Amino acid sequence: MTPTLEEAQPQTTDLPMNDFTEYIDKPSTLSKIEFGVATVLLIFSILLLDSSDATVARRLFEEAGISFGYYANFFYPRVLVFVTVYLAFLLVNFVVVPQLLRREQVARNILLLLGAYVAAGLVFGTTDTYAATYLFREYPTEQDTYNALFQQGFGGLFSCWFFWERTLC
């Protein structure tokens, strides 16, 4: 007896669409997706650094009469900022927010948020001293330049934080 066409074909089990939805709705699956997307964005951000931005930075350095190093004044500061934002996202998204939503260790998590803010502001200010060294010629003293760069670092971070809070809340 030879099998019929229906019998010869392998049987497939059609999963209802809600099974896929249940898979996606699992918090662990969403966390993996968020982690993967964040990591891919970090990698693409580093790989796709725009060389035209480096050209603009080189021109600003040359106008100030300061030598420009692609890696020291452009690439490394940008990569460090990208990595800082990535690490802050991971900390906030996977540690602080889940614990705050469960009302666990509230004081510790608030301190972690403040620590992340201060650390990111320091990193932004420090990287700006390398990426915007040409500004040292525009301010009367070296301390005035540092003050401006670090205020800009914390101010930009505050703006991002404010925007993030307004869009999520």
Side-chain angles (χ1 to χ4, degrees):
M1 210 189 238
T2 60
T4 64
L5 185 60
E6 292 85 25
E7 294 173 345
Q9 291 180 344
Q11 296 293 324
T12 59
T13 56
D14 294 326
L15 294 174
M17 190 60 167
N18 62 356
D19 285 346
F20 183 70
T21 306
E22 289 173 12
Y23 176 75
I24 291 294
D25 288 339
K26 288 182 183 178
S28 64
T29 304
L30 286 177
S31 294
K32 290 176 185 176
I33 292 171
E34 288 172 340
F35 178 77
V37 168
T39 303
V40 166
L41 287 174
L42 171 69
I43 292 167
F44 280 141
S45 297
I46 293 170
L47 292 176
L48 299 174
L49 277 173
D50 192 3
S51 61
S52 64
D53 289 344
T55 305
V56 171
R58 180 183 305 277
R59 184 180 47 78
L60 292 169
F61 273 78
E62 288 172 355
E63 288 174 1
I66 299 172
S67 64
F68 174 79
Y70 175 79
Y71 290 102
N73 299 116
F74 181 75
F75 185 77
Y76 293 143
R78 293 254 175 124
V79 169
L80 192 54
V81 166
F82 293 157
V83 170
T84 301
V85 170
Y86 173 74
L87 293 175
F89 169 77
L90 294 181
L91 175 71
V92 170
N93 195 53
F94 295 117
V95 176
V96 174
V97 169
Q99 289 182 0
L100 284 176
L101 290 175
R102 291 188 306 264
R103 302 205 192 301
E104 297 174 356
Q105 301 177 342
V106 174
R108 184 192 80 128
N109 287 307
I110 290 173
L111 287 175
L112 277 174
L113 281 175
L114 290 173
Y117 175 78
V118 169
L122 289 173
V123 168
F124 289 6
T126 303
T127 56
D128 281 349
T129 62
Y130 291 95
T133 305
Y134 57 87
L135 291 177
F136 281 90
R137 300 287 169 107
E138 294 185 20
Y139 289 92
T141 66
E142 191 175 284
Q143 189 60 48
D144 289 339
T145 308
Y146 284 123
N147 290 345
L149 290 172
F150 277 86
Q151 285 174 2
Q152 181 180 354
F154 279 100
L157 188 60
F158 179 75
S159 297
C160 290
W161 204 283
F162 183 76
F163 175 74
W164 181 58
E165 179 192 273
R166 292 291 180 198
T167 57
L168 295 180
C169 296

